[in-house]
Amino acid sequence: IIERKIGIEVEGGLFIGGRHSRGAGIETDMLKYNYLSLLGWKLFRFTPRQIEAGNHLDFLEALKNQ
């Protein structure tokens, strides 16, 4: 959501040894998160399982009210 500087990331591969759960991938993600913070962005992270269950919807609805 560019105009509000809000990023949403789906962290895939957590339970199968994917990029987001290995050292090099985690380090790269940390740099990305830090740069986003420096630029004033908020980043919200979800797993695919959370997205499939709809857990993100209440959270995103709460963002509308801020």
Side-chain angles (χ1 to χ4, degrees), residues 5-60:
K5 290 189 174 184
I6 294 172
I8 299 167
E9 181 163 4
V10 180
E11 301 279 0
L14 294 175
F15 301 100
I16 59 170
R19 184 193 143 332
H20 291 286
S21 63
R22 293 192 309 250
I26 292 169
E27 281 185 333
T28 302
D29 282 347
M30 285 180 181
L31 287 173
K32 174 177 56 179
Y33 305 149
N34 290 340
Y35 280 117
L36 285 172
S37 293
L38 283 174
L39 295 171
W41 282 71
K42 293 179 184 176
L43 178 67
F44 300 100
R45 301 162 59 196
F46 300 96
T47 66
R49 192 178 341 195
Q50 290 172 315
I51 298 291
E52 290 170 5
N55 299 135
H56 65 299
L57 297 175
D58 289 336
F59 183 84
L60 295 176

Side-chain angles (χ1 to χ4, degrees), residues 1-7 40-42 44 60-66:
I1 307 170
I2 295 170
E3 62 276 1
R4 294 188 58 194
K5 290 189 174 184
I6 294 172
W41 282 71
K42 293 179 184 176
F44 300 100
L60 295 176
E61 185 65 31
L63 279 174
K64 287 183 185 179
N65 300 322
Q66 287 190 343

